[in-house]
Amino acid sequence: MRQLILGAAVALCLASACAQDVVTPNANLLADGIPAIPKAIADKVALYTEFRGYGFMDWHPKERSMLVRHREAGANIAQIHWLKSPGGKLERITDFPDPVSAATFAPKHGNYIVYSRDAGGNEATQVFRMDLSTRQSTLLSTADERSVYSWTRSGDRVLIEAVPLDKTATGGTRAQVATTLTFVDPLKPEARTRLAELPGGGWGSFRFTHDDATIAAQQYRTPNDSDVFLIDAKTGAREKILPKPGASAAGYTGFEWSRDNQRLFLTTNQGGEFYELAVYDRRDKSLTVLSRHIPWDIENFSLSADGKLLMAVVNHNGRDEARLFDAATGKELPRPDIPAGSIGGGQWHEAQHGQLAFSLNSPQSPGDVYSYDAASGKTERWTVAASAPGVKPDTFVSPELVQIKSFDGLAVSGWLFLPDAAKFPGKRPLLVSFHGGPEGQSTVRFMGRYNYFLNELGLAILMPNVRGSRGYGKTFLDLDNGYLRKDSVKDGGAFLSWATTHPRLNASRIVVSGGSYGGYMSLATAVDYSPLIRGAIDVVGISHFVTFLNNTESYRRDLRRVEYGDERDPKMRAFHEQIAPLNNAAAIKVPLFVVQGKNDPRVPYTEAQQIVSAVRKNGVPVWYLLADNEGHGFRRKANADFEFFATVKFLETTLID
């Protein structure tokens, strides 16, 4: 793509010897309205772009070895590696231009892997088999569909769940959506058997019984509204088991079967505000809650291969806690000795019982892989994350919990990172970073590049959890739905007002930022509170809910209508028109930085283009960065680096200069 950098001074510079003193975007980036980025910025931030952590992917079925995700030094994309012992040498398995979203060994022998990846962030995920001896890949799924796979217990086939992609944003259309289930033998891809066609989208969490006779499946609409089905693995016939007839809507997810195939472990918020660990018994159709004593969401859980232990991750107000349960009695056991941090990917080894692998990151660590031995209670570290020389993540600051009352008295909270007071005394400029979703949550985790803002620029960072965020109960989660949309923006305004009372925050120097729905929050805050902020950053954000709903992929559209409201209803459409940042762009009086991936199927690039055009009419600076090889966020290091260089320049210009 042709690189475009506006400004006569920049053009003169690039044509002369001073070109070596600026950073130019790579050929896949369009930088429109972004001033020259001094190479000095890239040099200063370079140390903060080289964090290289590890993520657990899958245990080998026979050996005590595993697949991990890791980006090697100098690489653009994280690849899949085979790690054969704790602290051992990595054997790189993949070498692709795009990230691998899932990878698993063949469940019985581990002679090959099955993996999935898309192209350029388009989310048209395809499923492949890779032979470990030759590294040759074979396509198992169908092109032009978004495919996800699940293994049978016998390990002889994968079940591929596929939804069609219609590329709505570029003229495609589809009135009805269906999800197809197809059995595929990875060693004989031509041996395909269609099991069923399921109505609509939102299907997932497929889990086979140990005899492969039945599949538990979820049809998701919102975190507070989903159904659980049992699907006959031979005929495709399905039976809805939850919620029971006459029961109110609830959320259900995360399925694991007992060894006798009679009990289905899951999490649900059916009986209260939070997701609880529960078990459904097929024999008497009862649902028993196991974790009622824990007043927080169970984020996920894993059942040991022998069916005796359940490891659950509790979201305690944005901090992860590991909890262990006896699967037979439901009784909670002594807490495992697992380091504090954000826990992901928990999986028990199938052959070596009692061995659990998981990933862990924290404000002081980019992420590593660990295993936990249930018999000894010991945790073993398998990897050591890498950082650039001179950077010491173990010295990075942790956040403090902020709790305030919003405009209507509702309690809302967030996480505040403050720079070192000795190095940066006095009141500090503030970056307010809204999460996406909107059912996401700002949690205690590694901040990556953002540590540069804290450690080198002396900025404070606030990550609010406005109404609609998960983790605070199902009532809180629904408080921004439909006509309540602007109440979450008012929560953001309440945090801006709160900043004026904090002794270490300079409330006259605030920039708001956010990605996806957080991008909408950033734009809406710039509309409603421009006098209180210095600038806004919108990353793959929604600028108008009507155009977003018209152009997002059809398999997602109905799911998003539940959250945002159905634009086909005249009253709701009028409301969307009223609150759209695009229709209120004249109120944005502060500099705006918009970042977008051209291939984004969730929030199409047209959302970015239209807000850029509209806000430029206000006579304020508008920076626009478009990547033609990215989707819903930048995944390639080269692109993410330039985005970060430009973000640093934007913050220096708006907050510090």
Side-chain angles (χ1 to χ4, degrees), residues 306-342:
D306 58 9
K308 295 181 179 180
L309 296 174
L310 285 161
M311 180 70 81
V313 176
V314 176
N315 176 353
H316 188 154
N317 202 6
R319 295 181 185 270
D320 282 353
E321 295 177 352
R323 303 288 190 98
L324 194 62
F325 292 82
D326 183 301
T329 65
K331 181 181 178 181
E332 184 174 359
L333 303 173
R335 294 191 190 183
D337 184 18
I338 289 177
S342 179

Side-chain angles (χ1 to χ4, degrees), residues 39-345:
K39 186 175 182 295
I41 286 182
D43 292 340
K44 286 189 295 184
V45 308
L47 297 180
Y48 290 85
T49 67
E50 293 299 330
F51 300 114
R52 294 183 292 108
Y54 296 81
F56 171 77
M57 301 291 285
D58 190 40
W59 278 116
H60 189 282
K62 299 295 184 182
E63 307 167 1
R64 194 170 183 260
S65 66
M66 61 177 67
L67 296 177
V68 299
R69 181 189 286 112
H70 176 66
R71 183 180 66 80
E72 296 174 301
N76 203 26
I77 289 292
Q79 302 290 347
I80 305 304
H81 298 77
W82 192 349
L83 180 58
K84 298 185 177 180
S85 63
K89 184 179 179 180
L90 293 177
E91 179 184 340
R92 180 160 48 82
I93 301 295
T94 66
D95 187 15
F96 301 131
D98 295 285
V100 170
S101 54
T104 53
F105 285 107
K108 293 304 178 184
H109 45 68
N111 293 343
Y112 61 87
I113 67 170
V114 171
Y115 68 90
S116 57
R117 63 180 175 89
D118 67 4
N122 64 3
E123 298 190 20
T125 310
Q126 300 292 287
V127 180
F128 302 84
R129 181 196 80 234
M130 176 184 282
D131 298 314
L132 292 174
S133 59
T134 65
R135 298 294 196 268
Q136 295 298 307
S137 293
T138 302
L139 180 65
L140 304 181
S141 57
T142 303
D144 298 323
E145 293 183 337
R146 184 177 189 271
S147 299
V148 180
Y149 71 93
S150 305
W151 282 100
T152 60
R153 294 284 187 166
S154 61
D156 60 342
R157 295 176 297 169
V158 291
L159 180 71
I160 295 181
E161 165 211 350
V163 293
L165 295 175
D166 44 75
K167 300 180 181 178
T168 312
T170 55
T173 183
R174 191 177 303 275
Q176 300 293 328
V177 177
T179 302
T180 58
L181 301 182
T182 304
F183 280 116
V184 179
D185 181 344
L187 295 176
K188 300 177 181 178
E190 67 279 3
R192 309 172 64 85
T193 304
R194 175 172 287 199
L195 175 64
E197 183 174 286
L198 306 177
W203 292 90
S205 299
F206 296 96
R207 190 64 169 163
F208 286 82
T209 50
H210 292 271
D211 58 6
D212 281 336
T214 305
I215 311 167
Q218 171 207 43
Q219 187 174 29
Y220 171 96
R221 285 175 291 275
T222 76
N224 291 338
D225 183 12
S226 61
D227 297 330
V228 182
F229 289 85
L230 300 183
I231 301 175
D232 188 300
K234 288 185 177 180
T235 67
R238 62 184 183 276
E239 173 194 2
K240 179 180 171 182
I241 59 171
L242 293 169
K244 296 180 180 179
S248 58
Y252 306 89
T253 191
F255 306 136
E256 293 276 11
W257 285 102
S258 62
R259 298 293 300 181
D260 63 4
N261 303 319
Q262 297 302 313
R263 297 192 301 158
L264 178 65
F265 295 93
L266 49 83
T267 62
T268 178
N269 61 7
Q270 175 181 297
E273 283 291 315
F274 295 96
Y275 268 86
E276 299 170 314
L277 186 61
V279 58
Y280 173 83
D281 196 307
R282 299 173 70 180
R283 292 162 292 196
D284 60 6
K285 300 183 179 182
S286 63
L287 183 69
T288 303
V289 174
L290 307 180
S291 62
R292 182 60 51 83
H293 61 290
I294 301 175
W296 298 101
D297 280 343
I298 304 293
E299 286 280 290
N300 57 72
F301 70 95
S302 180
L303 178 65
S304 62
D306 58 9
K308 295 181 179 180
L309 296 174
L310 285 161
M311 180 70 81
V313 176
V314 176
N315 176 353
H316 188 154
N317 202 6
R319 295 181 185 270
D320 282 353
E321 295 177 352
R323 303 288 190 98
L324 194 62
F325 292 82
D326 183 301
T329 65
K331 181 181 178 181
E332 184 174 359
L333 303 173
R335 294 191 190 183
D337 184 18
I338 289 177
S342 179
I343 304 170

Side-chain angles (χ1 to χ4, degrees), residues 340-638:
S342 179
I343 304 170
Q347 180 183 322
W348 297 92
H349 200 291
E350 285 292 321
Q352 300 188 19
H353 293 172
Q355 291 285 316
L356 178 85
F358 60 94
S359 307
L360 183 76
N361 77 65
S362 73
Q364 291 76 39
S365 170
D368 278 303
V369 175
Y370 295 79
S371 64
Y372 168 77
D373 187 300
S376 67
K378 294 182 179 180
T379 300
E380 186 171 19
R381 186 173 182 173
W382 284 60
T383 64
V384 179
S387 302
V391 175
K392 299 179 180 179
D394 60 344
T395 67
F396 290 172
V397 298
S398 292
E400 61 184 57
L401 181 65
V402 171
Q403 295 176 304
I404 69 170
K405 296 289 186 181
S406 191
F407 68 97
D408 57 356
L410 180 73
V412 291
S413 64
W415 293 101
L416 177 65
F417 288 81
L418 290 169
D420 181 71
K423 184 177 181 180
F424 299 103
K427 294 191 173 185
R428 306 310 308 164
L430 175 65
L431 175 64
V432 179
S433 179
F434 295 106
H435 66 69
E439 308 97 334
Q441 183 187 24
S442 293
T443 59
V444 179
R445 54 180 171 76
F446 189 63
M447 295 291 283
R449 290 171 164 87
Y450 275 37
N451 284 291
Y452 178 83
F453 302 150
L454 291 159
N455 298 340
E456 308 300 333
L457 295 184
L459 305 183
I461 300 172
L462 174 66
M463 302 190 304
N465 282 312
V466 298
R467 67 191 69 200
S469 304
R470 67 179 176 88
Y472 306 97
K474 61 185 179 186
T475 299
F476 190 88
L477 193 69
D478 284 344
L479 289 179
D480 66 340
N481 287 2
Y483 293 108
L484 302 175
R485 181 58 45 206
K486 290 299 288 288
D487 286 355
S488 62
V489 181
K490 293 178 183 178
D491 288 345
F495 277 107
L496 297 180
S497 297
W498 164 84
T500 65
T501 69
H502 196 285
R504 290 209 59 208
L505 299 180
N506 184 344
S508 67
R509 291 179 177 264
I510 298 177
V511 164
V512 294
S513 177
S516 192
Y517 178 76
Y520 160 75
M521 286 290 297
S522 182
L523 291 172
T525 301
V527 167
D528 292 353
Y529 301 101
S530 263
L532 302 183
I533 63 176
R534 290 284 193 95
I537 303 172
D538 160 28
V539 181
V540 298
I542 300 167
S543 60
H544 196 314
F545 287 112
V546 173
T547 56
F548 159 72
L549 289 168
N550 285 339
N551 292 330
T552 193
E553 279 291 335
S554 56
Y555 77 90
R556 303 184 68 252
R557 189 173 297 120
D558 285 341
L559 303 178
R560 294 295 81 197
R561 281 170 173 158
V562 178
E563 171 70 36
Y564 298 127
D566 193 332
E567 84 288 357
R568 296 168 299 183
D569 175 75
K571 184 179 178 183
M572 179 56 70
R573 190 183 190 95
F575 177 72
H576 283 157
E577 297 284 356
Q578 174 190 342
I579 70 169
L582 181 65
N583 291 348
N584 296 279
I588 299 179
K589 303 297 186 182
V590 295
L592 177 65
F593 182 19
V594 177
V595 180
Q596 182 67 48
K598 183 70 177 293
N599 302 324
D600 192 344
R602 300 187 179 209
V603 181
Y605 74 96
T606 47
E607 292 296 302
Q609 284 189 332
Q610 62 193 18
I611 196 67
V612 167
S613 177
V615 176
R616 279 184 172 159
K617 296 175 183 178
N618 299 341
V620 298
V622 178
W623 302 13
Y624 182 35
L625 183 62
L626 178 70
D628 68 5
N629 61 344
E630 299 282 10
H632 201 59
F634 289 8
R635 301 184 298 179
R636 289 167 171 77
K637 183 178 185 296

